[in-house]
Amino acid sequence: MSYTNPYRKRILVTGGAGFIGSHLCERLLQEGNEVICVDNFYTGSKRNIAHLLTNPYFEVIRHDVTFPLYVEVDEIYNLACPASPVHYQFDPVQTTKTSVHGAINMLGLAKRLKVKILQASTSEVYGDPSVHPQVEEYWGNVNPIGIRACYDEGKRCAETLFFDYHRQHKLQIKVARIFNTYGPNMHPNDGRVVSNFIVQALKGEDITVYGDGSQTRSFCYVSDLVSGLIKLMNTDPSITGPINLGNPGEFTILELAEKVIKLTGSKSKIIFKPLPQDDPKQRRPDISKAKEILHWQPAIPLEEGLKYTIDYFKKLFGEQ
């Protein structure tokens, strides 16, 4: 039974002003739900949700999930956590707290309300993988004391907590492992490869490729990813995940740089710098489970998604 009316679910999205969270809030509203967006605006942005503020079924709460939250809702999507190395390495202790204390607080809320909760986990739980492509059964190859561990191990611990709450308290959980996602609302200075390359290309700066550019990534457009999250949330209670969500199309970083230069018409040159510590050499999801269980697979090809993303950044820079 909904707290508002029997026909409109009330859904909490933590990290709702972030890149993925803002798209999720918008989609959930479009589907006729009431949405409470919770964000401390550390990496989230008000401009990502400004167009939603006039919707009477949208509410924003400035709150840090490392502290308990008391609201009445029907479902919880837990997306709160800085997700790019630039941001999560800036305050690594707070990053770990956000993943771990945030999970505990949101799981506690879900337990009290007896509602289902989805954890936005990450392909980073696989670390620098020795299995390729990555299947959900793979336990990963993570450096627990490296500079990325605050995020990698924080997310791994959050998964542990979700499954322990499920076993111990019979809580209905869903765990999605999100692979590289891109699209409008990305932070221009988040250090992620797609936004980095587009921003550098539009400004006519050298495009920075770390290593020799032969390392591979898979890039999922944000609307496809959001569809996968909603499909997972709406599965049978017996489906907990973890389920990989990402695009299995694999590209080298050098290929991505060349595509961005071509699509922007930029005169930027590609320069090479040393590979950062613990940077994965390969990253590609096996999405067999998502296809079979969720009947989901990405629909937007990389070139099309890059065009939408480039248009977003052009508009963003035009407003500045």
Side-chain angles (χ1 to χ4, degrees):
M1 174 70 65
S2 169
Y3 290 103
T4 48
N5 68 55
Y7 309 108
R8 192 183 290 276
K9 279 191 293 193
R10 194 176 196 200
I11 300 173
L12 172 65
V13 179
T14 71
F19 161 45
I20 294 173
S22 58
H23 286 276
L24 177 62
C25 287
E26 185 167 11
R27 182 79 64 85
L28 291 170
L29 286 166
Q30 286 169 355
E31 293 184 357
N33 301 292
E34 186 174 342
V35 174
I36 299 178
C37 163
V38 167
D39 209 296
N40 68 351
F41 297 100
Y42 173 58
T43 58
S45 168
K46 286 180 181 174
R47 83 177 309 284
N48 289 345
I49 53 169
H51 63 296
L52 304 177
L53 295 173
T54 54
N55 189 317
Y57 297 107
F58 183 65
E59 181 181 348
V60 183
I61 301 174
R62 181 188 283 270
H63 180 82
D64 187 325
V65 295
T66 61
F67 299 95
L69 178 67
Y70 302 100
V71 291
E72 309 298 317
V73 294
D74 304 303
E75 287 177 359
I76 301 168
Y77 287 84
N78 187 38
L79 276 69
C81 191
S84 71
V86 167
H87 292 139
Y88 67 62
Q89 289 168 13
F90 178 75
D91 189 347
V93 171
Q94 186 62 26
T95 296
T96 305
K97 281 183 175 179
T98 302
S99 283
V100 178
H101 293 187
I104 290 168
N105 287 328
M106 290 305 111
L107 286 162
L109 178 62
K111 181 185 166 207
R112 177 175 73 81
L113 298 175
K114 298 182 175 59
V115 300
K116 59 185 170 180
I117 178 168
L118 182 146
Q119 168 67 1
S121 191
T122 170
S123 60
E124 295 291 340
V125 300
Y126 299 123
D128 187 2
S130 54
V131 168
H132 191 76
Q134 291 79 60
V135 292
E136 290 86 351
E137 291 73 23
Y138 176 51
W139 289 355
N141 176 36
V142 176
N143 175 1
I145 59 170
I147 59 171
R148 298 171 73 106
C150 57
Y151 184 70
D152 301 4
E153 296 290 18
K155 288 287 193 177
R156 283 160 71 94
C157 185
E159 286 197 16
T160 301
L161 286 161
F162 266 68
F163 277 89
D164 283 336
Y165 265 77
H166 173 65
R167 287 183 286 256
Q168 191 172 334
H169 302 299
K170 306 293 182 276
L171 193 63
Q172 223 187 115
I173 65 161
K174 312 285 178 184
V175 175
R177 287 182 179 157
I178 298 171
F179 282 68
N180 278 44
T181 304
Y182 70 99
N185 297 2
M186 292 184 89
H187 195 293
N189 302 317
D190 68 2
R192 293 190 226 196
V193 66
V194 172
S195 50
N196 263 10
F197 286 0
I198 291 173
V199 169
Q200 288 170 337
L202 290 176
K203 291 182 174 179
E205 298 170 353
D206 290 338
I207 288 187
T208 312
V209 170
Y210 294 97
D212 62 3
S214 64
Q215 66 272 40
T216 65
R217 294 291 184 275
S218 306
F219 302 101
C220 185
Y221 190 67
V222 65
S223 62
D224 284 334
L225 188 276
V226 165
S227 298
L229 291 175
I230 293 171
K231 278 177 178 281
L232 177 56
M233 179 63 100
N234 293 328
T235 50
D236 182 89
S238 64
I239 306 298
T240 58
I243 288 185
N244 289 337
L245 293 178
N247 194 321
E250 189 174 7
F251 297 87
T252 68
I253 296 300
L254 197 54
E255 282 178 290
L256 177 70
E258 288 163 350
K259 276 183 185 292
V260 168
I261 288 171
K262 180 183 133 202
L263 291 170
T264 55
S266 175
K267 300 283 191 289
S268 294
K269 304 278 190 295
I270 296 172
I271 61 167
F272 297 88
K273 291 193 174 178
L275 204 60
Q277 183 188 333
D278 299 330
D279 194 57
K281 311 296 182 297
Q282 292 179 301
R283 189 57 71 66
R284 175 161 72 95
D286 182 310
I287 60 167
S288 304
K289 282 191 177 176
K291 285 179 176 176
E292 181 190 342
I293 296 168
L294 309 181
H295 308 294
W296 174 89
Q297 62 182 347
I300 308 278
L302 181 60
E303 201 147 309
E304 183 181 343
L306 285 174
K307 285 176 184 170
Y308 298 144
T309 312
I310 289 163
D311 287 345
Y312 165 76
F313 278 109
K314 279 181 178 173
K315 184 167 179 284
L316 182 67
F317 293 144
E319 290 173 0
Q320 289 176 354

